Amino acid sequence: MAAPSCRRAALRGCAIGGGAAARWRRPLLPGGCGPRGAAGACRALAVEVGGRKMELSSGKLARFADGSAVVQLGDTAVMVTAVSKTKPSASQFMPLVVDYRQKAAAAGRIPTNYLRRELGSTDKEILTSRVIDRSIRPLFPAGYFYDTQILCNLLAVDGVNDPDILAINGASAALALSDIPWNGPIGAVRVGLVDGETIINPTRKQLSSSALNLVVAGAPQNQVVMLEATAENILQQDFCHAIKVGVKQTQHIIQGIQQLVKEQGVVKRTVQKLYVAPEEIVECANKLASNKIYAVFTDSGHDKISRDEAINKIRLETEEQLKEKFPEAEPYEIIEAFNVVSKDIFRNLVLNEYRRCDGRDLTSLRDIKCEVDMFKMLHGSALFQRGQTQVLCTVTFDSIESSVKSDVISTAVSGIKDKNFMLHYEFPPYATNEIGKVGGMNRRELGHGALAERALKPVIPEDFPFTIRVTSEVLESNGSSSMASACGGSLALMDAGVPVSSAVAGVAIGLITKCSLENGGIEDYRLLTDILGIEDYYGDMDFKMAGTNKGITALQVDLKLPGIPIKIVMEAIQQATETIHVPLSKRLRFVGPGAYNLKKLQAQTGVTVSQLDEETYSVFAPTPVAMHEAREFIRDICKDDQEVNLEFGAVYTATITEIRDSGVMVKLYPNMTPVLLHNSQLDQRKIKHPSALGLEVGQEIQVKYFGRDPTDGRMRLSRKILQSPATTVLKTLTDKNSIVLGGTIPQSSTSSQ
């Protein structure tokens, strides 16, 4: 009878609700409750995240698992377990499975299906599982091919705090506290933006009115591991600020997990084998194939199919030679040796020679072709082609009754309500010249469709009277079909007559890094715009961002590295963003009367200009072409506004360009915009018109420079002051200073002296 008694005590000890923080610290059994029944007390701590307490505990529940942790925020609690086999898998990749399951009991409900129990996975569960997977996968050791499973079990849901963020942190804690080899921990937070205020882990009510829904997974030392966001045309600077705030908050969670690990004294297991290629085989493969591989990767005449065929031909020849030379080597070692050589050559071309395999520079887009109204019978259709990525999108209208209906459990657990806009993504095998199963839906298709849907949702009118279904069928794929779906979906919506607030475009940014052999840190890196499939395969990052000419609508970042510095993320976001320094004296010229120039710039080029401070403006462009047009526009309106270094109190020769009733317009140098020298500053005597002094157009006069007016930046000159007996020195003009486009912003402006 002792065992049932202990079980009841355990249930009382882990009850969810008021006073739970204290109960987490109550030992389950007198002898301790470490993992797998080992000696040691249950461990728990609370960390402050965004002004609220997040509780982490371990050692009480699911003790047979390799690692187990419970994370609680408010009255929402999630238990996560981690188990990894000790014998390697036959798979030649990391066989990681993450399952996040919503439980009706956690929300105090009974399932409404005929069996009255949880059945298959919902879209929300699959998408949350993908987010957890993408957050933890990069931190497993290279070559760790052991079946690993992460299960997220909802214990209680209060309807206020979303459990998905807790599940990510729970997975991190479970892995860190286990003996599974893993280079964590990580921390995760959700960042919202309500009325311009950044909120960490917003409640469901706050999130409903938030312009931003950003999930940030961070690693130690303020590294970024994963990002996923939905936004309502958020400006680039606001988005970057939210990421920085989120990463900073993740460090508190990381420190808490590290404290638990230290207290428990975790020792990681020694794995039987890591599947990496032996150096001697790699060196041999490099001698045999490097020149041939280099020739293929530097031939920009290849397309996807011909390049793959050429590399595979070299692969087969090289592998046969390696098998003869290393007869005892395992098949995987031979295959991986060739992969290592190919990857190094491809990456070094980008890092050292700034060359891409299709001949583009690092920031260029592939050629884009668009067609709309493909089929008259459809409500809307569009074909979007970018390079060798081709997507056919269609739009269908139906009644509001056709909207997606959420079951009561999903609504109670995750707050998902009915929605009248959906995007369904299909990736048939022929898109990559393959054969495969057709039908059904896999996790990848669901994830890519959800990303494109998030990119388009902010531009759909909230009061649109119909249900909208966008279908995106990938016909050819060679790089970022999800972003192509966002572009094609935007075209199809406009073709169907949906009054979208703005067109949406998306692009994928890649990353190639060079890491230090000493500490593993990033020594050098290159960012690639509009990546190909092979650049994604050999690269370190897939950074997908979509938006309008007003701002960002969706973002998803997947990494293969265990973390990257925030500055690289900022640079990726700013790939199509430029900063302009406009001295105070030039502001009127740059902005124009009634902001005419800025409005014209935005209307003609599609860029968005935001003022960061008195003399700095941020220009956000949806494409590099738009940014180039914006640069030319700015140069045109400011080309006559070049200024030289002027010394306060110095005397200069001015040329009269125009006679006015109020004074004369003068230039101090040929390409200067004329400024007014008022009648009150022309002479010691009071005059009503410059003609009283016999002044004419083209005449040169001496004037003294007194800096700029601090309110409007206008140049202050005087001729009258020179008629006094004071001695003056005539200055010559040198060192031109102009508006700075995208360069280093000057620390001080001489024009404001």
Side-chain angles (χ1 to χ4, degrees), residues 431-446:
T432 52
N433 192 31
E434 295 175 352
I435 296 173
K437 182 181 178 181
V438 178
M441 177 186 59
N442 58 41
R443 290 189 171 197
R444 179 187 176 278
E445 289 185 348
L446 182 63

Side-chain angles (χ1 to χ4, degrees), residues 64-376:
F64 282 173
D66 289 329
S68 174
V70 176
V71 184
Q72 180 169 343
L73 181 63
D75 286 332
T76 296
V78 181
M79 180 185 74
V80 185
T81 58
V83 176
S84 185
K85 289 186 176 180
T86 55
K87 293 184 178 180
S89 167
S91 305
Q92 295 182 359
F93 59 90
M94 170 57 190
L96 173 66
V97 176
V98 178
D99 277 312
Y100 169 92
R101 299 302 302 271
Q102 298 176 156
K103 298 297 180 69
R109 301 300 298 265
I110 296 175
T112 55
N113 59 69
Y114 71 99
L115 291 177
R116 298 297 187 266
R117 64 188 304 162
E118 289 83 4
L119 299 178
S121 298
T122 65
D123 288 1
K124 169 65 176 177
E125 290 171 329
I126 293 173
L127 293 174
T128 304
S129 298
R130 282 175 55 85
V131 170
I132 299 170
D133 185 303
R134 289 162 35 216
S135 300
I136 63 177
R137 184 180 290 271
L139 286 90
F140 282 94
Y144 185 77
F145 296 167
Y146 294 75
D147 288 299
T148 304
Q149 186 176 41
I150 307 296
L151 291 181
C152 306
N153 187 1
L154 269 63
L155 301 179
V157 177
D158 59 9
V160 177
N161 301 286
D162 275 335
D164 53 356
I165 294 298
L166 306 186
I168 302 174
N169 291 307
S172 171
L175 285 167
L177 291 166
S178 73
D179 64 344
I180 300 171
W182 189 66
N183 301 316
I186 63 166
V189 296
R190 173 175 273 112
V191 184
L193 190 65
V194 180
D195 297 328
E197 181 183 355
T198 301
I199 299 176
I200 300 299
N201 291 334
T203 63
R204 191 177 299 173
K205 183 177 180 180
Q206 290 173 324
L207 196 59
S208 65
S209 59
S210 175
L212 175 66
N213 183 353
L214 168 66
V215 177
V216 181
Q221 300 178 343
N222 292 317
Q223 300 270 305
V224 176
V225 178
M226 191 280 305
L227 296 172
E228 180 160 299
T230 304
E232 296 179 4
N233 291 312
I234 295 295
L235 293 176
Q236 170 258 327
Q237 59 266 29
D238 294 335
F239 205 94
C240 292
H241 175 70
I243 293 174
K244 292 176 182 177
V245 172
V247 171
K248 183 178 179 181
Q249 291 294 324
T250 63
Q251 302 305 299
H252 303 317
I253 301 171
I254 292 169
Q255 291 166 9
I257 296 174
Q258 288 174 333
Q259 179 64 28
L260 286 177
V261 171
K262 183 179 179 181
E263 291 177 3
Q264 186 169 305
V266 174
V267 177
K268 296 297 183 180
R269 71 179 66 159
T270 301
V271 296
Q272 182 177 332
K273 182 178 182 180
L274 290 177
Y275 285 76
V276 294
E279 290 187 10
E280 57 178 347
I281 302 181
V282 173
E283 291 176 3
C284 184
N286 187 53
K287 293 177 182 178
L288 293 172
S290 59
N291 291 335
K292 298 176 185 177
I293 296 172
Y294 181 89
V296 173
F297 285 155
T298 53
D299 184 358
S300 59
H302 281 298
D303 62 9
K304 173 182 170 64
I305 301 299
S306 65
R307 185 183 300 110
D308 289 349
E309 289 177 347
I311 291 296
N312 284 332
K313 182 180 179 181
I314 300 170
R315 175 192 295 276
L316 293 174
E317 294 174 355
T318 305
E319 288 179 356
E320 287 299 321
Q321 293 173 302
L322 291 174
K323 288 176 183 177
E324 293 178 3
K325 189 163 186 177
F326 301 95
E328 302 298 323
E330 295 183 15
Y332 173 80
E333 294 175 337
I334 300 294
I335 295 170
E336 184 61 16
F338 183 87
N339 290 341
V340 170
V341 173
S342 299
K343 183 176 181 178
D344 286 346
I345 293 171
F346 187 92
R347 293 165 66 90
N348 286 332
L349 275 172
V350 176
L351 283 168
N352 302 328
E353 301 182 30
Y354 293 80
R355 298 176 68 178
R356 299 173 73 172
C357 60
D358 61 353
R360 287 181 294 152
D361 60 40
L362 303 188
T363 59
S364 293
L365 296 170
R366 291 170 289 173
D367 292 338
I368 295 175
K369 297 179 182 178
C370 307
E371 294 181 47
V372 295
D373 198 18
M374 302 287 295
F375 304 101
K376 300 297 182 182

Side-chain angles (χ1 to χ4, degrees), residues 614-626:
E614 269 195 344
E615 298 187 348
T616 308
Y617 292 79
S618 171
V619 180
F620 177 85
T623 65
V625 174

Side-chain angles (χ1 to χ4, degrees), residues 616-639:
T616 308
Y617 292 79
S618 171
V619 180
F620 177 85
T623 65
V625 174
M627 181 59 75
H628 177 73
E629 292 176 357
R631 287 195 197 104
E632 294 300 319
F633 184 96
I634 293 169
R635 289 192 181 100
D636 286 344
I637 64 175
C638 300
K639 63 183 179 182

Side-chain angles (χ1 to χ4, degrees), residues 633-700:
F633 184 96
I634 293 169
R635 289 192 181 100
D636 286 344
I637 64 175
C638 300
K639 63 183 179 182
D640 293 329
D641 210 16
Q642 307 294 308
E643 183 186 306
V644 298
N645 271 332
L646 299 177
E647 183 180 337
F648 188 92
V651 177
Y652 298 96
T653 299
T655 303
I656 299 175
T657 61
E658 183 183 351
I659 303 293
R660 295 185 179 182
D661 291 341
S662 57
V664 295
M665 301 297 293
V666 298
K667 282 186 175 184
L668 301 188
Y669 44 91
N671 58 352
M672 168 184 163
T673 301
V675 296
L676 177 68
L677 182 58
H678 196 267
N679 286 335
S680 61
Q681 296 299 324
L682 282 174
D683 198 83
Q684 294 281 358
R685 297 169 293 170
K686 185 176 181 179
I687 61 172
K688 293 184 177 182
H689 195 276
S691 59
L693 300 176
L695 299 177
E696 299 177 351
V697 173
Q699 183 178 343
E700 292 185 347

